[in-house]
Amino acid sequence: MSSSLRFDRGHTDDLMAFLMAAPSPYHAVAAAAARLEKAGFRQVEETEAWDGSLGGKYVLRGGAIVAWYVPEGAGAHTPFRIVGAHTDSPNLRVKPLPDTGAYGWRQVAVEVYGGTLLNTWLDRDLGLAGRLSLRDGTHRLVNIDRPLLRVPQLAVHLDRSANPEGLKLDRQKHMQPIWGLGEVEEGDLIRFVAEAAGVDPAEVTGWDLMPHAVEAPAYLGRDRELVAGPRMDNLLSVHAATAALAAVSAQPDAELPYIPVLAAFDHEENGSQSDTGADGPLLGTVLERSVFARGGSYEDRARAFAGSVCLSSDTGHAVHPNYAERHDPTHHPVVNGGPILKVNVNMRYATDGGGRAVFAEACEKAGVPWQTFVSNNSMPCGTTIGPITAARHGIRTVDIGVAILSMHSARELCGADDPYLLANSLTAFLAG
């Protein structure tokens, strides 16, 4: 690492606060927007006409946010530098008819969202968060951040095979949390949540609610060199990208040859196919409207997109000391070793040689070390919003991230230095 770069514990402290403030994608974009507002950004509505004014702006749609900063001197064909991320995490989601139970236990009916590690949700104190949709068409955020729910594991005395043979969980039968005692009452959960949100239950017409672990993020290890916490996949990247965009917007405009952009999408964990997902039109629409609002033509739009680059920032796999054989034998990313460049020749990641050069240059400018991740040929490779962004918008995209352990667990593990290193590399990239 360059001697000019010193680990800033304050950045990781702020990440931990961000994780606590963002138990759902809707809270995540609200927390990101609040940070951007402090940096001088202002919200614009999609249903209103946009002007070509300079400065920072952002759009909120559900659990997604797209923010951009137009510096003085930017032309209609000025390319974009984009950091893409996602706000959702694998978890449990409340069903439309949530009130259930048996044998004197009151339970909440939930559906499994994304590829979560089911066992990590067992025997945890869980809160409940998300949004309520009201009769007048508005939404109300709600966060019951106290022990409310629990998915109890079957005692080992009643499942003697759990340890020698491995725990087997049925997604339908075994994952319904308990939240009280007594007879099941239809509408009881939503009445309780509505009252916690300060709204009349009769005004609630829909909901997007999800349990979350209430245990706070924490430094871990002999020298506190690790961080354990929820939703690092992928709020770690959302937080770093928000900090980077705010930092770049504070630089002199003359130093910005590109228009820096943050694009944080929902629904990455189940395929990105929604109006707030990366496979939807949101990013392309926002970028096009920005070009046209500054007096640009379709030709300007084409020129801007052709010169643009996106870093798709998502967590990746650090080498696991107990399962090293699952990793590629010559690529072993380590925590606190700096961000990782993700490569897959079958385009599960969008990185190519030219994209590698862009990322390497940003890290060099920031004085940040970086690593490379490649999957073991015998293991299936995951994917990200990177290939989707590249294919949908024709924008060169590079897949990067931070190496972690316990990905898709209710509580993941990263190096305490890496969030700051990622934010520095993203700042250098956005600044050009």
Side-chain angles (χ1 to χ4, degrees):
M1 187 188 308
S2 168
S3 60
S4 63
L5 184 66
R6 293 289 183 266
F7 167 51
D8 183 357
R9 183 58 57 88
H11 178 89
T12 305
D13 289 342
D14 190 64
L15 167 63
M16 295 163 74
F18 185 83
L19 295 174
M20 286 296 289
S24 78
Y26 317 108
H27 290 82
V29 298
R35 283 164 164 74
L36 292 174
E37 288 275 354
K38 289 182 179 179
F41 286 67
R42 62 181 178 87
Q43 184 176 0
V44 294
E45 299 292 340
E46 292 186 84
T47 55
E48 297 178 358
W50 292 4
D51 59 41
S53 58
L54 306 179
K57 304 172 186 178
Y58 67 91
V59 165
L60 294 180
R61 183 193 290 185
I65 181 171
V66 179
W68 66 102
Y69 179 80
V70 181
E72 186 175 353
H77 60 274
T78 297
F80 300 95
R81 281 286 177 102
I82 307 160
V83 176
H86 66 89
T87 61
D88 60 319
S89 301
N91 60 6
L92 308 176
R93 302 287 176 102
V94 175
K95 289 184 175 180
L97 299 176
D99 298 292
T100 187
Y103 305 105
W105 295 101
R106 299 169 77 179
Q107 294 176 275
V108 176
V110 297
E111 189 173 3
V112 177
Y113 176 84
T116 188
L117 286 169
L118 295 179
N119 65 293
T120 67
W121 289 88
L122 301 179
D123 296 332
R124 286 188 182 273
D125 296 335
L126 304 174
L128 193 64
R131 68 176 183 178
L132 300 174
S133 300
L134 306 184
R135 198 173 299 280
D136 62 2
T138 62
H139 302 282
R140 182 69 61 87
L141 294 183
V142 60
N143 182 11
I144 303 173
D145 195 30
R146 67 169 178 84
L148 178 69
L149 310 170
R150 185 181 179 91
V151 184
Q153 185 172 188
L154 184 64
V156 69
H157 312 76
L158 304 178
D159 185 9
R160 297 290 184 179
S161 66
N163 285 329
E165 298 178 15
L167 182 65
K168 297 179 181 179
L169 294 171
D170 184 288
R171 293 158 69 94
Q172 178 63 37
K173 293 170 57 178
H174 300 150
M175 298 308 297
Q176 311 307 311
I178 61 173
W179 76 299
L181 302 173
E183 297 297 321
V184 176
E185 298 181 23
E186 184 178 352
D188 194 33
L189 178 72
I190 299 306
R191 281 193 296 270
F192 174 81
V193 175
E195 291 169 0
V199 301
D200 182 351
E203 295 301 310
V204 177
T205 57
W207 49 87
D208 301 281
L209 299 171
M210 56 207 73
H212 65 277
V214 298
E215 183 183 2
Y219 288 103
L220 183 147
R222 186 193 68 179
D223 298 319
R224 292 163 51 91
E225 67 268 48
L226 302 169
V227 173
R231 300 177 295 281
M232 291 185 183
D233 179 12
N234 186 32
L235 295 187
L236 190 158
S237 293
V238 175
H239 175 262
T242 303
L245 181 59
V248 169
S249 71
Q251 296 182 6
D253 283 357
E255 298 180 6
L256 297 179
Y258 302 97
I259 294 175
V261 180
L262 158 67
F265 303 100
D266 202 351
H267 303 130
E268 188 272 348
E269 298 293 355
N270 62 6
S272 295
Q273 292 185 323
S274 71
D275 70 314
T276 53
D279 203 20
L282 181 59
L283 175 60
T285 299
V286 169
L287 299 184
E288 287 181 347
R289 291 185 68 177
S290 173
V291 170
F292 298 152
R294 285 178 280 120
S297 63
Y298 181 82
E299 182 72 10
D300 291 314
R301 178 261 188 214
R303 292 175 64 188
F305 277 44
S308 297
V309 183
C310 174
L311 291 188
S312 166
S313 182
D314 203 346
T315 54
H317 302 293
V319 60
H320 196 302
N322 298 339
Y323 302 91
E325 73 280 1
R326 304 295 181 96
H327 299 267
D328 183 85
T330 59
H331 294 80
H332 285 168
V334 297
V335 298
N336 289 334
I340 57 174
L341 179 76
K342 300 179 181 181
V343 178
N344 180 265
V345 295
N346 294 302
M347 299 312 292
R348 300 291 286 174
Y349 303 130
T351 306
D352 62 9
R356 181 184 187 277
V358 172
F359 179 63
E361 180 184 16
C363 289
E364 183 178 344
K365 285 183 178 179
V368 169
W370 59 281
Q371 312 173 78
T372 304
F373 171 83
V374 179
S375 288
N376 185 310
N377 285 330
S378 299
M379 302 292 294
C381 180
T383 190
T384 68
I385 65 168
I388 294 171
T389 302
R392 183 170 184 84
H393 306 295
I395 291 175
R396 166 173 281 174
T397 303
V398 189
D399 272 295
I400 67 160
V402 162
I404 69 171
L405 292 182
S406 304
M407 187 185 294
H408 287 196
S409 169
R411 193 169 178 87
E412 297 160 323
L413 185 71
C414 77
D417 293 5
D418 282 330
Y420 179 63
L421 297 176
L422 175 65
N424 275 269
S425 65
L426 296 183
T427 302
F429 165 74
L430 289 176

Short mmCIF file of all heavy atoms in Angstrom, two decimals, residues 24 30 41-42 45 49 85 88 97-98 119 127 136 199 214 253 256 266 270 282 285 316 325 380 387 412 425 429:
data_model
loop_
_atom_site.label_atom_id
_atom_site.label_comp_id
_atom_site.label_asym_id
_atom_site.label_seq_id
_atom_site.Cartn_x
_atom_site.Cartn_y
_atom_site.Cartn_z
N SER A 24 -33.59 -2.44 5.01
CA SER A 24 -34.30 -2.81 3.78
C SER A 24 -33.76 -1.97 2.63
O SER A 24 -33.11 -0.94 2.86
CB SER A 24 -35.80 -2.57 3.93
OG SER A 24 -36.12 -1.19 3.79
N ALA A 30 -32.84 5.71 1.14
CA ALA A 30 -33.12 6.91 1.95
C ALA A 30 -31.85 7.36 2.66
O ALA A 30 -31.57 8.57 2.75
CB ALA A 30 -34.23 6.63 2.95
N PHE A 41 -26.64 17.69 -3.14
CA PHE A 41 -27.48 17.12 -4.18
C PHE A 41 -28.95 17.42 -3.88
O PHE A 41 -29.35 17.61 -2.73
CB PHE A 41 -27.28 15.60 -4.26
CG PHE A 41 -25.98 15.18 -4.90
CD1 PHE A 41 -24.76 15.44 -4.28
CD2 PHE A 41 -25.98 14.52 -6.11
CE1 PHE A 41 -23.57 15.06 -4.87
CE2 PHE A 41 -24.79 14.12 -6.71
CZ PHE A 41 -23.58 14.39 -6.08
N ARG A 42 -29.77 17.41 -4.93
CA ARG A 42 -31.20 17.62 -4.75
C ARG A 42 -31.97 16.57 -5.55
O ARG A 42 -31.53 16.13 -6.61
CB ARG A 42 -31.62 19.02 -5.19
CG ARG A 42 -31.38 19.34 -6.66
CD ARG A 42 -31.81 20.77 -6.99
NE ARG A 42 -31.56 21.10 -8.39
CZ ARG A 42 -32.39 20.86 -9.39
NH1 ARG A 42 -33.56 20.26 -9.14
NH2 ARG A 42 -32.09 21.20 -10.64
N GLU A 45 -37.88 14.70 -9.61
CA GLU A 45 -38.96 13.74 -9.80
C GLU A 45 -39.00 13.27 -11.26
O GLU A 45 -38.86 14.07 -12.18
CB GLU A 45 -40.30 14.37 -9.43
CG GLU A 45 -40.40 14.82 -7.97
CD GLU A 45 -40.39 13.66 -6.99
OE1 GLU A 45 -40.70 12.51 -7.43
OE2 GLU A 45 -40.07 13.88 -5.82
N ALA A 49 -40.58 17.80 -15.60
CA ALA A 49 -39.59 18.16 -16.61
C ALA A 49 -38.25 18.45 -15.94
O ALA A 49 -38.21 19.05 -14.87
CB ALA A 49 -40.06 19.37 -17.40
N ALA A 85 -24.21 -0.70 -8.19
CA ALA A 85 -24.28 -1.56 -7.01
C ALA A 85 -25.73 -2.01 -6.85
O ALA A 85 -26.59 -1.68 -7.66
CB ALA A 85 -23.79 -0.82 -5.77
N ASP A 88 -30.39 -4.67 -2.40
CA ASP A 88 -31.08 -5.81 -1.79
C ASP A 88 -30.09 -6.86 -1.31
O ASP A 88 -28.96 -6.94 -1.80
CB ASP A 88 -32.08 -6.43 -2.77
CG ASP A 88 -31.41 -6.94 -4.05
OD1 ASP A 88 -30.50 -6.26 -4.56
OD2 ASP A 88 -31.78 -8.03 -4.53
N LEU A 97 -50.52 -12.77 3.00
CA LEU A 97 -51.35 -13.16 4.13
C LEU A 97 -50.41 -13.64 5.22
O LEU A 97 -50.08 -14.83 5.31
CB LEU A 97 -52.34 -14.25 3.72
CG LEU A 97 -53.33 -13.88 2.61
CD1 LEU A 97 -54.18 -15.09 2.23
CD2 LEU A 97 -54.21 -12.72 3.04
N PRO A 98 -49.96 -12.72 6.08
CA PRO A 98 -48.83 -13.04 6.96
C PRO A 98 -49.18 -13.76 8.25
O PRO A 98 -48.28 -14.33 8.88
CB PRO A 98 -48.24 -11.66 7.27
CG PRO A 98 -49.41 -10.74 7.19
CD PRO A 98 -50.31 -11.29 6.13
N ASN A 119 -29.68 -21.53 7.26
CA ASN A 119 -29.32 -21.83 8.65
C ASN A 119 -28.87 -20.60 9.42
O ASN A 119 -28.96 -20.56 10.65
CB ASN A 119 -28.22 -22.89 8.69
CG ASN A 119 -26.93 -22.42 8.08
OD1 ASN A 119 -26.85 -22.20 6.87
ND2 ASN A 119 -25.89 -22.25 8.90
N GLY A 127 -35.71 -8.18 13.91
CA GLY A 127 -36.67 -7.09 13.82
C GLY A 127 -37.44 -7.21 12.52
O GLY A 127 -37.36 -8.23 11.81
N ASP A 136 -53.56 6.49 -0.23
CA ASP A 136 -53.40 7.69 -1.05
C ASP A 136 -52.24 7.56 -2.06
O ASP A 136 -51.91 8.52 -2.74
CB ASP A 136 -53.20 8.93 -0.18
CG ASP A 136 -51.93 8.85 0.67
OD1 ASP A 136 -51.18 7.86 0.55
OD2 ASP A 136 -51.71 9.78 1.47
N VAL A 199 -49.31 5.10 11.48
CA VAL A 199 -50.36 5.28 10.49
C VAL A 199 -51.58 4.46 10.88
O VAL A 199 -51.49 3.48 11.63
CB VAL A 199 -49.88 4.88 9.07
CG1 VAL A 199 -48.68 5.70 8.66
CG2 VAL A 199 -49.56 3.39 9.00
N VAL A 214 -31.11 -7.91 14.45
CA VAL A 214 -30.98 -6.63 15.17
C VAL A 214 -29.61 -6.46 15.80
O VAL A 214 -29.29 -5.37 16.29
CB VAL A 214 -32.08 -6.49 16.24
CG1 VAL A 214 -33.45 -6.49 15.61
CG2 VAL A 214 -31.97 -7.60 17.30
N ASP A 253 -14.60 21.78 -10.33
CA ASP A 253 -15.21 21.25 -11.54
C ASP A 253 -14.21 21.07 -12.68
O ASP A 253 -14.37 20.19 -13.52
CB ASP A 253 -16.35 22.18 -12.00
CG ASP A 253 -17.60 22.01 -11.15
OD1 ASP A 253 -17.60 21.14 -10.26
OD2 ASP A 253 -18.57 22.75 -11.37
N LEU A 256 -12.90 17.57 -13.44
CA LEU A 256 -13.82 16.48 -13.74
C LEU A 256 -14.08 16.38 -15.24
O LEU A 256 -14.90 17.12 -15.79
CB LEU A 256 -15.14 16.67 -12.99
CG LEU A 256 -15.05 16.66 -11.46
CD1 LEU A 256 -16.42 16.88 -10.85
CD2 LEU A 256 -14.46 15.34 -10.96
N ASP A 266 -32.29 -2.33 -7.07
CA ASP A 266 -32.92 -3.38 -6.26
C ASP A 266 -32.95 -4.67 -7.08
O ASP A 266 -32.65 -4.69 -8.27
CB ASP A 266 -34.34 -2.94 -5.89
CG ASP A 266 -34.88 -3.67 -4.67
OD1 ASP A 266 -34.25 -4.63 -4.19
OD2 ASP A 266 -35.97 -3.28 -4.18
N ASN A 270 -32.37 -11.66 -7.23
CA ASN A 270 -33.29 -12.58 -7.91
C ASN A 270 -33.38 -12.31 -9.41
O ASN A 270 -34.37 -12.61 -10.05
CB ASN A 270 -34.68 -12.55 -7.26
CG ASN A 270 -35.35 -11.19 -7.34
OD1 ASN A 270 -34.84 -10.27 -7.99
ND2 ASN A 270 -36.49 -11.05 -6.69
N LEU A 282 -34.25 1.95 -15.92
CA LEU A 282 -34.04 3.12 -15.07
C LEU A 282 -32.75 3.87 -15.39
O LEU A 282 -32.75 5.08 -15.63
CB LEU A 282 -34.07 2.72 -13.59
CG LEU A 282 -33.88 3.86 -12.58
CD1 LEU A 282 -34.95 4.93 -12.74
CD2 LEU A 282 -33.86 3.30 -11.16
N THR A 285 -32.69 5.49 -18.90
CA THR A 285 -33.61 6.61 -18.99
C THR A 285 -33.04 7.85 -18.31
O THR A 285 -33.11 8.96 -18.85
CB THR A 285 -34.95 6.23 -18.35
OG1 THR A 285 -35.52 5.12 -19.07
CG2 THR A 285 -35.93 7.40 -18.39
N GLY A 316 -17.22 -10.08 -3.27
CA GLY A 316 -16.72 -11.33 -3.85
C GLY A 316 -16.18 -12.23 -2.76
O GLY A 316 -16.25 -11.90 -1.57
N GLU A 325 -9.87 -25.57 -1.03
CA GLU A 325 -9.99 -26.35 -2.27
C GLU A 325 -11.16 -25.87 -3.14
O GLU A 325 -11.21 -26.21 -4.33
CB GLU A 325 -10.17 -27.83 -1.94
CG GLU A 325 -11.52 -28.22 -1.37
CD GLU A 325 -11.69 -27.92 0.12
OE1 GLU A 325 -10.74 -27.38 0.73
OE2 GLU A 325 -12.77 -28.23 0.66
N PRO A 380 -19.49 -23.52 -10.09
CA PRO A 380 -20.26 -22.53 -10.86
C PRO A 380 -19.92 -21.12 -10.41
O PRO A 380 -19.63 -20.88 -9.23
CB PRO A 380 -21.72 -22.88 -10.54
CG PRO A 380 -21.66 -23.62 -9.24
CD PRO A 380 -20.36 -24.36 -9.22
N PRO A 387 -22.68 -7.74 -16.31
CA PRO A 387 -23.03 -8.14 -17.67
C PRO A 387 -24.37 -7.56 -18.14
O PRO A 387 -24.52 -7.23 -19.33
CB PRO A 387 -23.10 -9.67 -17.57
CG PRO A 387 -22.22 -10.01 -16.41
CD PRO A 387 -22.41 -8.89 -15.45
N GLU A 412 -22.29 -11.25 7.65
CA GLU A 412 -21.12 -11.50 6.81
C GLU A 412 -19.86 -10.91 7.45
O GLU A 412 -19.93 -10.22 8.48
CB GLU A 412 -21.37 -10.92 5.42
CG GLU A 412 -22.55 -11.60 4.71
CD GLU A 412 -23.15 -10.80 3.57
OE1 GLU A 412 -23.22 -9.55 3.68
OE2 GLU A 412 -23.57 -11.42 2.57
N SER A 425 -10.67 3.93 -4.22
CA SER A 425 -10.53 3.55 -5.64
C SER A 425 -11.73 4.06 -6.44
O SER A 425 -11.55 4.50 -7.59
CB SER A 425 -10.40 2.03 -5.76
OG SER A 425 -11.58 1.37 -5.35
N PHE A 429 -11.73 6.67 -9.62
CA PHE A 429 -12.38 6.29 -10.87
C PHE A 429 -13.39 7.36 -11.30
O PHE A 429 -13.39 7.79 -12.47
CB PHE A 429 -13.09 4.95 -10.69
CG PHE A 429 -14.07 4.63 -11.79
CD1 PHE A 429 -13.65 4.26 -13.05
CD2 PHE A 429 -15.44 4.72 -11.56
CE1 PHE A 429 -14.55 3.97 -14.05
CE2 PHE A 429 -16.35 4.43 -12.56
CZ PHE A 429 -15.91 4.06 -13.81
#
